[in-house]
Amino acid sequence: MNISGQDFIFGCSAIGAGLALIAGIGPGVGQGIAAGHAAAAVGRNPGAKSDVTSTMLLGQAVAETTGLYGLLVAMLLLFVKPFT
Amino acid sequence: MNSVLLAADVNFMIKGIFSYQIFGQTVWITTTHVCLLIVLLLFAVFGLCAHHVIVNADPYAKPGTFQNIVELIVEMLDNMITGCMGKSAPKFLGYISTLFCFILISNFSGLLGLRPPTADYGVTLPLGLITFGMIFYNKIKHQGVGGFLKGLCDPWPIWAPINVIGDIAVPISISLRLFANILSGTVMMALVYGLLSKIAWGWPGFLHLYFDLFSGAIQTYVFCMLTMTYVADAINAD
């Protein structure tokens, strides 16, 4: 079986894309912590539920950014193919 | 070429529709332009209808359904912007409301089977650059050039390069956030419809609910909120 240079680069790009998605761990943990604290806050003060929820969603959406950068790198490697 | 992808029918890329030559360059009209045009037409029709209804409204009669919806939208945007920007809100009411409605309709357009225009970096980067321009303009207008330079060398002058990088990162990060979120939704839906096309009956509706409606609405809110926060920060910095 012959593997050309092109195929080798494709394979390495796919591995790199998979590795890039490890970036998803951080936002997952961070969002979980934010949601847990929001649940605790609502438990302590049920009257402020809507405020707590909107603040939590805003913070989570901002925290998601680093994970999305990993996704972007993976998409660039798989579909734009910068190294071929 | 496509062997990496395994499935040739997964289709979410931007496609060129036709090309023309201008100043020796080949310029493509892509799906983004067409979807943007459809979104703007929807937006324009909605705006004209709302204007017609509000102008002809009888203040003593019971408001109709459409008038109620329009008033609800305007009131919600008004509350959101006033709550975030305080007394400088009236100057930015027009721009932020337009931005909100435009991004919202763009994100929701995935429901109509269009490719959402905000899943193209060429649409979100200009929005980020407009925010950047507003921050810059308001900083220089309200703090003066001296105050701007003083803010740049905040704790000590040696920190100036880091502050410059932080300023430049603002438009890139907010435009990439919107782009990547909507793109991930588009890719997910394309994968579901492309790879599971035999069993994709009905249940992708719930995925649409999350990826298009929930994620789109949250990202619209975040984009407008961050723009308002940065601009209000530039106005009231002390």
Side-chain angles (χ1 to χ4, degrees):
Chain A
M1 177 180 167
N2 279 333
I3 296 179
S4 66
Q6 195 85 328
D7 292 342
F8 186 68
I9 291 174
F10 279 166
C12 288
S13 297
I15 294 174
L19 289 178
L21 283 179
I22 295 176
I25 294 175
V29 172
Q31 287 183 340
I33 291 174
H37 282 284
V42 172
R44 228 176 287 128
N45 184 5
K49 185 163 187 266
S50 61
D51 280 351
V52 169
T53 311
S54 66
T55 311
M56 180 196 75
L57 284 177
L58 187 69
Q60 285 187 332
V62 174
E64 212 175 35
T65 313
T66 45
L68 288 168
Y69 290 162
L71 176 78
L72 269 185
V73 170
M75 303 277 294
L76 286 178
L77 283 174
L78 277 186
F79 299 112
V80 183
K81 297 170 188 146
F83 298 118
T84 52
Chain B
M1 272 304 277
N2 258 334
S3 55
V4 171
L5 256 177
L6 282 181
D9 52 349
V10 175
N11 220 338
F12 59 86
M13 301 298 272
I14 303 163
K15 286 181 280 295
I17 292 173
F18 72 90
S19 63
Y20 57 94
Q21 299 278 333
I22 185 164
F23 302 125
Q25 303 280 330
T26 311
V27 183
W28 283 87
I29 296 287
T30 61
T31 38
T32 305
H33 293 99
V34 177
C35 295
L36 204 54
L37 193 67
I38 296 172
V39 165
L40 288 181
L41 277 178
L42 280 176
F43 197 14
V45 168
F46 179 78
L48 287 175
C49 291
H51 178 256
H52 179 79
V53 164
I54 293 294
V55 163
N56 295 331
D58 179 4
Y60 298 107
K62 208 159 56 168
T65 314
F66 188 67
Q67 191 188 338
N68 261 327
I69 293 173
V70 172
E71 286 178 2
L72 192 75
I73 294 170
V74 171
E75 207 176 298
M76 188 204 74
L77 289 171
D78 216 14
N79 282 338
M80 186 180 95
I81 296 164
T82 315
C84 192
M85 301 192 76
K87 63 183 190 316
S88 54
K91 268 165 60 187
F92 298 97
L93 209 58
Y95 174 67
I96 304 283
S97 306
T98 314
L99 187 72
F100 191 92
C101 296
F102 168 67
I103 300 178
L104 195 70
I105 300 178
S106 296
N107 292 350
F108 284 4
S109 68
L111 289 177
L112 306 177
L114 303 175
R115 193 181 186 283
T118 34
D120 184 345
Y121 197 48
V123 175
T124 55
L125 182 63
L127 295 178
L129 288 178
I130 292 172
T131 302
F132 181 64
M134 282 167 72
I135 297 169
F136 214 66
Y137 175 78
N138 282 304
K139 251 188 197 166
I140 292 196
K141 188 179 166 195
H142 291 272
Q143 303 172 21
V145 178
F148 174 67
L149 290 177
K150 193 159 156 280
L152 214 54
C153 333
D154 194 8
W156 304 296
I158 205 166
W159 282 40
I162 298 174
N163 285 330
V164 169
I165 292 174
D167 280 353
I168 292 174
V170 166
I172 299 175
S173 85
I174 65 172
S175 59
L176 270 181
R177 181 175 301 128
L178 178 63
F179 163 68
N181 263 290
I182 307 306
L183 182 72
S184 69
T186 310
V187 171
M188 288 286 183
M189 295 319 295
L191 286 178
V192 166
Y193 285 127
L195 298 180
L196 303 176
S197 55
K198 291 212 174 65
I199 54 169
W201 292 349
W203 59 268
F206 294 103
L207 296 181
H208 272 299
L209 208 62
Y210 178 76
F211 287 122
D212 284 335
L213 291 181
F214 182 72
S215 187
I218 292 280
Q219 289 309 316
T220 309
Y221 181 69
V222 167
F223 193 95
C224 294
M225 213 58 180
L226 285 178
T227 301
M228 285 190 290
T229 314
Y230 283 132
V231 173
D233 220 36
I235 291 176
N236 303 322
D238 43 296

